[in-house]
Amino acid sequence: MAAEIVNPHSESAREAEAESVAGESGEAFDPAFALHRGGKMAVQSTVPIRDKDDLSLAYTPGVARVCTAIAEQPELVHDYTWKSQVVAVVTDGTAVLGLGDIGPEASLPVMEGKAILFKQFGGVDAVPIALATTDADEIVDTVVRLAPSFGGVNLEDISAPRCFEIERKLQERLDIPVFHDDQHGTAVVTLAALRNAAKLTGRGLGDLRAVISGAGAAGVAIAKFLLEAGLGDVAVADRKGIVSRDRDDLTPVKRELAEITNRAGLSGSLETALAGADVFIGVSGGTVAEAAVASMAEGAFVFAMANPNPEVHPDVAHKYASVVATGRSDYPNQINNVLAFPGIFAGALQVRASRITEGMKIAAANALADVVGDDLAADYVIPSPFDERVAPAVTAAVAAAARAEGVARR
């Protein structure tokens, strides 16, 4: 009798896995291990190979005619390969979720997760690539050499400040979209939620002063992006206090940040800056004292996005803020990057964009905010990742912006 082939991701297989592991350990089983057994993704053919005729077309000799055509007209690679439909998800494993520097192998479950989110929410194929180097130039050189196989590059979980240098150098050397999601995905979703919060309370972005806790990849990107979108003012705090021109301990990235932020000239601690502030944005972890939250302006917004423990617990935030958002799925208004990156890449790939511009990101944020529409409420300033309107809206807006900004190639 032939052996039975079991799908490792079927419900019965997961139940058997749970029973097996629980029996071996004598402890309660964590279902995450059953779900991850064998990985969360696979490569699947899009064409049948049923006989020798199929084989001769999919491979030799038929494939040679396609290769020759691409060699003569390189742009045909977009039409006759997967290039324009696939993204490389690249990491070095140095800043993985809330786990920190855990290395490339340990980062793979997260990169696989990112890849299946691309497919589930944007219809975009993605390949996890975990690199065994933390040297910025080596990462850049490696990605450049891999780039002919991909239509875009999503940088993921690379620690600051190297992530800024890596993204900049790749953008300079490649003619395909390069997007560091920890920076720009977070910034896009934050702007969308902030636009709707301001609309709900009858204000514009220019009326708001924000304070950001965290001067890493997300904090820097959010600050720059909100100012680009028209925010009145923003101050960014790191572990030593407000990033300001009078500090002599700033990195080059933070010195640049000090030149464009903190127009109010604040100095001192995060708590000091929160007095009278309209918006708190947390992307750092840690805890903000309740007294500091209470000192914010009337009708303030608190976006405490650290996971799993927000900088301000929602129960505390609701005492003083008119709109509260977190990074968690068990509270309303989740600031979740999956609302942005699948549609952004889908739109960029759709028009074969050479890069992702600020205008494309702002278009994505506006489209995301518009999905909420007339249902806007204090507990609904940003849509759910499972709202089927999100990815098409973001995709269309990004594609249109790419054409308007002259970076689309079709």
Side-chain angles (χ1 to χ4, degrees), residues 183-241:
Q183 293 184 60
H184 310 301
T186 307
V188 165
V189 183
T190 301
L191 174 59
L194 190 57
R195 276 198 185 282
N196 275 341
K199 180 180 178 181
L200 182 67
T201 56
R203 288 176 282 182
L205 290 179
D207 302 321
L208 304 176
R209 177 172 73 84
V211 177
I212 297 176
S213 175
V220 170
I222 291 170
K224 291 181 176 180
F225 192 53
L226 293 183
L227 289 174
E228 179 77 18
L231 189 74
D233 193 12
V234 58
V236 182
D238 62 12
R239 291 183 181 87
K240 297 183 180 179

Side-chain angles (χ1 to χ4, degrees), residues 84-386:
S84 281
Q85 304 169 60
V86 67
V87 170
V89 180
V90 178
T91 190
D92 63 0
T94 55
V96 180
L97 294 176
L99 303 175
D101 186 354
I102 60 175
E105 289 85 0
S107 76
L108 268 177
V110 177
M111 299 309 114
E112 287 183 2
K114 198 78 174 187
I116 64 176
L117 294 179
F118 264 108
K119 188 67 172 179
Q120 175 71 27
F121 293 101
V124 174
D125 289 308
V127 177
I129 298 176
L131 302 179
T133 178
T134 60
D135 181 271
D137 287 331
E138 289 184 359
I139 291 172
V140 170
D141 288 342
T142 301
V143 175
V144 167
R145 292 186 176 102
L146 290 170
S149 295
F150 298 98
V153 176
N154 184 88
L155 299 174
E156 191 74 24
D157 293 348
I158 299 173
S159 63
R162 294 175 309 113
C163 60
F164 303 114
E165 176 188 359
I166 290 167
E167 183 187 41
R168 175 179 56 79
K169 288 183 175 180
L170 284 173
Q171 287 173 335
E172 291 170 353
R173 294 178 60 178
L174 296 177
D175 65 347
I176 58 176
V178 178
F179 186 84
H180 185 204
D181 187 50
D182 300 317
Q183 293 184 60
H184 310 301
T186 307
V188 165
V189 183
T190 301
L191 174 59
L194 190 57
R195 276 198 185 282
N196 275 341
K199 180 180 178 181
L200 182 67
T201 56
R203 288 176 282 182
L205 290 179
D207 302 321
L208 304 176
R209 177 172 73 84
V211 177
I212 297 176
S213 175
V220 170
I222 291 170
K224 291 181 176 180
F225 192 53
L226 293 183
L227 289 174
E228 179 77 18
L231 189 74
D233 193 12
V234 58
V236 182
D238 62 12
R239 291 183 181 87
K240 297 183 180 179
I242 298 300
V243 175
S244 57
R245 296 181 184 181
D246 59 358
R247 283 178 51 179
D248 58 7
D249 60 346
L250 299 179
T251 64
V253 170
K254 292 180 184 179
R255 280 201 298 272
E256 178 188 354
L257 190 64
E259 291 298 319
I260 61 173
T261 61
N262 193 22
R263 295 166 184 164
L266 302 173
S267 60
S269 68
L270 167 74
E271 289 76 13
T272 299
L274 280 176
D278 302 291
V279 185
F280 168 76
I281 297 171
V283 284
S284 66
T287 302
V288 176
E290 181 172 346
V293 180
S295 74
M296 295 177 68
E298 184 177 355
F301 313 142
V302 172
F303 292 4
M305 301 188 292
N307 264 313
N309 300 311
E311 294 88 348
V312 182
H313 192 280
D315 291 344
V316 173
H318 278 296
K319 294 181 183 179
Y320 310 102
S322 61
V323 176
V324 177
T326 72
R328 292 175 50 146
S329 60
D330 53 347
Y331 290 103
N333 296 328
Q334 183 190 19
I335 308 296
N336 190 331
N337 290 13
V338 78
L339 290 162
F341 69 82
I344 289 174
F345 268 101
L349 294 176
Q350 185 180 97
V351 298
R352 295 179 189 168
S354 58
R355 60 193 177 96
I356 294 173
T357 65
E358 290 300 297
M360 291 162 71
K361 290 184 286 186
I362 288 176
N366 291 342
L368 183 55
D370 288 345
V371 168
V372 171
D374 294 336
D375 295 323
L376 181 63
D379 61 353
Y380 185 55
V381 297
I382 199 76
S384 162
F386 296 99

